[in-house]
Amino acid sequence: MPTPHEAEKQHTGPEEADRPPSMTSHDAAPPAAPGRNPCCLCWCCCCSCSWNERRRRAWQASRESKLQPLPSCEVCATPSPEEVQSWAQSFDKLMRSPAGRSVFRAFLRTEYSEENMLFWLACEELKAEANQHVVDEKARLIYEDYVSILSPKEVSLDSRVREGINKKMQEPSAHTFDDAQLQIYTLMHRDSYPRFLSSPTYRALLLRGASQSSSEA
């Protein structure tokens, strides 16, 4: 007969599914930036930090629904019928248009892949930054939000690109995520863009543009 201690170790219940996961040897913390004196493997500089606490918060966030109100990403004017039609000519034209990016982002949200556009936009913002202190902070946030395996908004990157990012994060620059940005851009182009062109969202914009042109004629 097992002792009370052994029985307690053997007991498992359905409530365990609602517990945050424990730290394992396979979980890696993001690389520390230079000039810091972290007391653990995460990005912080105080002895009260806890990587497990960060992991618990990420776990809780991942359980929340992604269907939150769509925040304003870019301020853009209503596209003209000609501009809407140009989006079907190439993915580059769609992505160069603020209105196109906004509409495409809303479409990605319906496919639960909005993080791809958010990551691409964050990389564009990082590349426009000249202040190194700001670059360090923005690079850290991009890593935590879109590259970390603990993030609910993690984007899909291959191991080669991830390894390259981890090395570059030792000395972050405005171009730390260039390879990753290109990979996500290619993914959106090949995977999401064709579905966007045949989606009710884009077809409605085309019809609206056609009706507007007819009324003006």
Side-chain angles (χ1 to χ4, degrees), residues 160-179:
R160 177 189 63 82
V161 171
R162 286 184 176 277
E163 183 178 351
I165 291 175
N166 287 334
K167 291 179 180 178
K168 293 175 182 177
M169 284 300 294
Q170 302 300 324
E171 296 183 8
S173 75
H175 299 280
T176 293
F177 302 99
D178 281 3
D179 290 343

Side-chain angles (χ1 to χ4, degrees), residues 65-130:
S65 172
K66 289 186 177 181
L67 295 178
Q68 300 296 327
L70 183 65
S72 176
C73 174
E74 295 181 284
V75 177
C76 51
T78 302
S80 66
E82 293 75 19
E83 183 178 3
V84 172
Q85 292 174 5
S86 73
W87 299 344
Q89 297 174 7
S90 72
F91 186 59
D92 290 342
K93 288 188 176 182
L94 172 68
M95 292 294 284
R96 284 198 297 265
S97 164
R101 291 192 297 268
S102 179
V103 173
F104 186 54
R105 178 189 171 192
F107 169 76
L108 292 177
R109 187 174 177 80
T110 66
E111 294 201 332
Y112 301 95
S113 58
E114 181 190 13
E115 62 273 8
N116 290 333
M117 176 63 80
L118 295 177
F119 172 70
W120 186 89
L121 290 170
C123 291
E124 287 293 289
E125 184 178 328
L126 178 65
K127 289 191 293 187
E129 184 57 59

Side-chain angles (χ1 to χ4, degrees), residues 186-202:
T186 303
L187 175 64
M188 292 190 293
H189 184 190
R190 295 179 178 176
D191 186 56
S192 303
Y193 177 60
R195 291 197 298 274
F196 168 74
L197 294 181
S198 60
S199 69
T201 299
Y202 183 61

Side-chain angles (χ1 to χ4, degrees), residues 126 128-138:
L126 178 65
E129 184 57 59
N131 186 306
Q132 185 58 45
H133 292 294
V134 178
V135 167
D136 289 346
E137 178 64 15
K138 286 187 175 182

Side-chain angles (χ1 to χ4, degrees), residues 1-63:
M1 175 179 298
T3 65
H5 178 67
E6 291 174 336
E8 181 180 354
K9 289 177 62 178
Q10 293 174 358
H11 171 72
T12 58
E15 67 276 6
E16 291 190 0
D18 293 326
R19 296 176 183 173
S22 59
M23 189 67 174
T24 69
S25 60
H26 296 291
D27 296 317
R36 311 285 175 83
N37 184 27
C39 58
C40 64
L41 295 179
C42 60
W43 249 313
C44 48
C45 305
C46 64
C47 292
S48 63
C49 64
S50 170
W51 178 249
N52 279 328
E53 176 62 18
R54 292 163 60 86
R55 190 168 188 269
R56 183 188 65 80
R57 291 198 300 267
W59 171 82
Q60 288 179 336
S62 68
R63 291 173 60 86

